[in-house]
């Protein structure tokens, strides 16, 4: 069995790792806060969505960490400046470990985004959610070289749909933080678009990673504003 | 017709009412201001008393309810919960 992987150049790997670590830290901070609020609210009211949101962010954060660990050897074995599309044969123990990490990274990413999708579209039927899940799952476990792009494509579409839903919520609530969250998901979606086309234009990879970082910084900014606004409204 | 208040909404209303009256209020006033029936109010006061968010005291044949430090903290937390949930569409 062979799996297709796109690999960033070694010269950019430090940047890649830094972006993933920062993204993971941001989502872990928000997740911990969501669980703290869940614990505070639970004795008084049912609040499944807070726990779901925290779980989604933990899944995403874990996927970023696993990605760094999984890709380390692969990137370090290449030359300094080349982007590489690789077909990796799953034959020895090392490649099996890589496969486990690779699938875990993909499954956790998709799980995280899917939970956020379920929160955003919680009024939709279970049938439509199941169909989305099946589509995501199918694209996650397709590991061959060209099929790999469908993973990015489905993530891009899912994030675009989530972003549109947040925009819709912003138009109703006029909450500026919701707008920031919507922009953040739209940037994440754009980031997947640039990763997808990096197959043909390899340098869009760095652009996609910068957009990715920007989206998480926006998410952090929205979180800081939530904290500040929460304090302000309480004083009034 | 307005949306039915959740348990948390009612608790917030009780705590906000007491806080807006300087931290202490007569039981009967609380009942009217927080839009509660007598039975409902007794239930909530017992629960919030157990959780140390409120305390009851007797003064000149009247029962007063006052908010504790824990109650004020809870009020602040519930504001943050509402803000967080609204921002992230939860």
């Amino acid at each position: 069995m062979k799996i297709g992987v796109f690999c960033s150049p070694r010269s950019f790997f430090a940047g890649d790792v830094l972006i993933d670590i920062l993204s993971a830290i941001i989502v872990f901070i928000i997740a911990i806060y969501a669980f703290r609020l869940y614990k505070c609210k639970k004795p008084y009211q049912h609040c499944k969505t807070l726990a779901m949101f925290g779980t989604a962010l933990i899944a995403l954060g874990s996927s970023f960490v696993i990605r760094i660990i999984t890709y380390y050897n692969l990137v370090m074995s290449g030359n300094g400046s080349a982007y590489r599309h690789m077909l990796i044969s799953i034959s020895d123990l090392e490649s099996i470990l890589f496969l486990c990490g690779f699938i875990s990274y993909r499954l956790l990413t998709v799980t995280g985004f899917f939970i956020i999708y379920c929160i955003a579209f919680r009024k939709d039927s279970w049938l439509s959610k199941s169909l989305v899940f099946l589509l995501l799952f199918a694209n996650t476990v397709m590991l061959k070289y060209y099929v790999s792009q469908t993973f990015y494509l489905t993530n891009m579409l899912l994030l675009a749909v989530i972003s549109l839903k947040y925009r819709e919520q912003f138009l109703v609530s006029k909450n500026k933080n919701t707008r920031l969250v919507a922009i953040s998901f739209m940037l994440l979606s754009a980031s997947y678009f640039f990763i997808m086309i990096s197959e043909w234009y390899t340098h869009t990879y760095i652009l996609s990673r910068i957009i990715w970082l920007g989206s998480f910084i926006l998410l952090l900014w929205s979180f800081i504003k939530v904290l500040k606004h929460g304090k302000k409204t309480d004083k009034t | 017709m307005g949306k039915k208040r959740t348990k948390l909404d009612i608790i917030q209303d009780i705590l906000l009412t007491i806080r807006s009256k300087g931290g202490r209020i007569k039981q009967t006033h609380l009942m009217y201001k927080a839009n509660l029936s007598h039975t409902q109010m007794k239930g909530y006061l017992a629960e919030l008393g157990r959780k140390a968010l409120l305390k009851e005291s007797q003064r000149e044949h009247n029962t007063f309810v006052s908010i504790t430090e824990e109650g004020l903290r809870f009020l602040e937390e519930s504001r943050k919960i509402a803000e967080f949930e609204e921002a992230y569409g939860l």
Side-chain angles (χ1 to χ4, degrees):
Chain A
M1 182 187 162
K2 286 182 174 182
I3 59 170
V5 180
F6 181 79
C7 212
S8 72
R10 196 166 52 182
S11 54
F12 185 64
F13 191 59
D16 235 2
V17 170
L18 187 69
I19 289 170
D20 275 335
I21 289 175
L22 286 174
S23 312
I25 289 171
I26 291 169
V27 290
F28 282 140
I29 288 172
I30 304 176
I32 290 167
Y33 190 74
F35 280 120
R36 196 174 78 83
L37 295 185
Y38 170 73
K39 209 176 137 194
C40 181
K41 191 177 176 182
K42 200 185 159 207
Y44 304 96
Q45 198 179 317
H46 190 58
C47 50
K48 201 173 69 181
T49 49
L50 268 173
M52 280 171 73
F53 190 65
T55 310
L57 296 180
I58 293 283
L60 286 174
S62 308
S63 82
F64 304 154
V65 173
I66 289 175
R67 184 179 182 273
I68 298 166
I69 299 166
T70 307
Y71 277 57
Y72 182 80
N73 275 336
L74 202 64
V75 174
M76 287 308 166
S77 65
N79 73 44
S81 58
Y83 293 89
R84 292 173 302 152
H85 289 283
M86 297 173 74
L87 269 178
I88 297 170
S89 296
I90 305 301
S91 50
D92 54 358
L93 181 66
E94 199 181 330
S95 59
I96 290 170
L97 284 175
F98 175 81
L99 179 70
C100 293
F102 186 69
I103 292 180
S104 310
Y105 146 65
R106 281 186 163 206
L107 280 176
L108 284 169
T109 306
V110 159
T111 305
F113 290 142
F114 180 69
I115 295 174
I116 295 173
Y117 169 84
C118 285
I119 294 170
F121 290 85
R122 58 183 169 275
K123 284 175 187 159
D124 280 17
S125 70
W126 275 105
L127 182 67
S128 62
K129 282 179 201 159
S130 307
L131 283 173
V132 171
F133 180 74
L134 279 176
L135 178 72
L136 285 170
F137 185 76
N139 283 310
T140 304
V141 293
M142 283 184 196
L143 301 169
K144 291 225 166 144
Y145 182 42
Y146 288 106
V147 185
S148 187
Q149 302 303 320
T150 59
F151 171 72
Y152 300 130
L153 179 68
T154 41
N155 274 357
M156 184 191 90
L157 293 175
L158 186 72
L159 287 164
V161 166
I162 293 172
S163 168
L164 287 176
K165 191 71 183 176
Y166 274 109
R167 187 185 166 271
E168 207 178 277
Q169 281 176 10
F170 161 70
L171 292 177
V172 175
S173 68
K174 300 285 173 203
N175 186 319
K176 285 179 183 170
N177 293 324
T178 312
R179 184 173 60 184
L180 278 180
V181 176
I183 296 170
S184 167
F185 278 109
M186 190 45 84
L187 284 177
L188 269 182
S189 176
S191 159
Y192 271 109
F193 171 75
F194 286 113
I195 287 184
M196 200 171 62
I197 62 165
S198 65
E199 160 127 16
W200 304 283
Y201 310 102
T202 48
H203 285 86
T204 58
Y205 182 81
I206 290 181
L207 179 64
S208 81
R209 297 300 286 161
I210 291 167
I211 294 174
W212 178 276
L213 179 64
S215 71
F216 279 95
I217 288 172
L218 263 189
L219 209 59
L220 179 67
W221 187 23
S222 71
F223 177 63
I224 291 168
K225 282 183 76 177
V226 165
L227 292 186
K228 277 187 178 172
H229 195 244
K231 275 186 184 169
K232 261 186 218 164
T233 39
D234 191 56
K235 279 174 189 164
T236 50
Chain B
M1 204 172 116
K3 201 178 146 193
K4 191 172 177 258
R5 287 188 297 174
T6 63
K7 189 178 172 184
L8 191 67
D9 291 334
I10 296 173
I11 291 170
Q12 277 177 323
D13 285 347
I14 292 172
L15 296 177
L16 279 171
T17 306
I18 303 171
R19 197 181 69 171
S20 68
K21 289 289 166 189
R24 204 177 67 157
I25 193 171
K26 267 188 194 176
Q27 255 195 17
T28 41
H29 290 183
L30 175 65
M31 190 169 86
Y32 296 123
K33 288 200 181 289
N35 282 321
L36 296 168
S37 70
H38 186 259
T39 326
Q40 269 182 320
M41 189 188 66
K42 281 288 174 193
Y44 278 108
L45 289 186
E47 185 181 343
L48 298 180
R50 273 197 306 275
K51 285 174 176 154
L53 302 182
L54 295 179
K55 61 179 180 204
E56 290 180 59
S57 54
Q58 289 284 338
R59 201 170 155 185
E60 294 161 12
H61 307 293
N62 287 314
T63 309
F64 284 87
V65 185
S66 40
I67 189 166
T68 60
E69 277 297 315
E70 191 64 33
L72 289 171
R73 252 199 308 276
F74 177 79
L75 209 46
E76 194 181 317
E77 285 297 307
S78 61
R79 289 276 185 188
K80 285 181 190 166
I81 292 171
E83 186 62 32
F84 188 85
E85 286 182 330
E86 197 185 336
Y88 294 100
L90 306 178

